[in-house]
Amino acid sequence: MEINTILRIVSYIAYICVLCSYPLRKKNLLRQTGKCILALSRKRQPLVYIVLICAPLLILLQRFRDLGVPINIILSGCAVLGAEVVLREYNLASLAGVYEQAVIADSRVIFFRDILALPTLAYENSGETSTEENSSSLYDRSLKIVTSHSGVIFIGFTDKSERDKAVDAICSQKPDVDTRNQP
């Protein structure tokens, strides 16, 4: 059997494994995070379907056009990794919310055991008059989270009220979190 044929077969098997493991990974993540306390706005991911269709086509292309073993390895790897990335993104976007053990937002899972502080952002209390432009700005919709493993993380929300609800839900699940002002 030719090396390119073996590469395509392995790539298809890896692609199918990525697709089939999606429900198991979602179930495992839900088991780790617990029950949903506050559902956050969940964004649609229309590119998921395009990538999931194009990824096997990228592998199939190698059957009709031999680009050399190194390029075929790169194309196959891109197809499998692309499917993995969009499924992970889709999975986390569909589960956005505050859970008993974690926060899922902006395609990130942040467990409460890793959260050290939720400092109030300095620009919130800067004394500016709140205009409609300021209330919908990026700063009003952002939350700064200090974690033990990842350092400082910023998470975006749809609006300020959603962010405030998320902070209240996080504080109710983890009352020992530090929420004082930090520069």
Side-chain angles (χ1 to χ4, degrees), residues 111-125:
F111 288 96
F112 290 148
R113 64 180 176 264
D114 294 335
I115 296 176
L116 299 176
L118 298 173
T120 303
L121 303 175
Y123 43 77
E124 286 181 7
N125 299 323

Side-chain angles (χ1 to χ4, degrees), residues 52-71:
L52 291 179
I53 290 170
C54 289
L57 294 177
L58 192 59
I59 299 169
L60 182 65
L61 169 73
Q62 298 169 33
R63 180 171 185 203
F64 302 109
R65 177 80 173 147
D66 185 15
L67 302 170
V69 175
I71 300 298

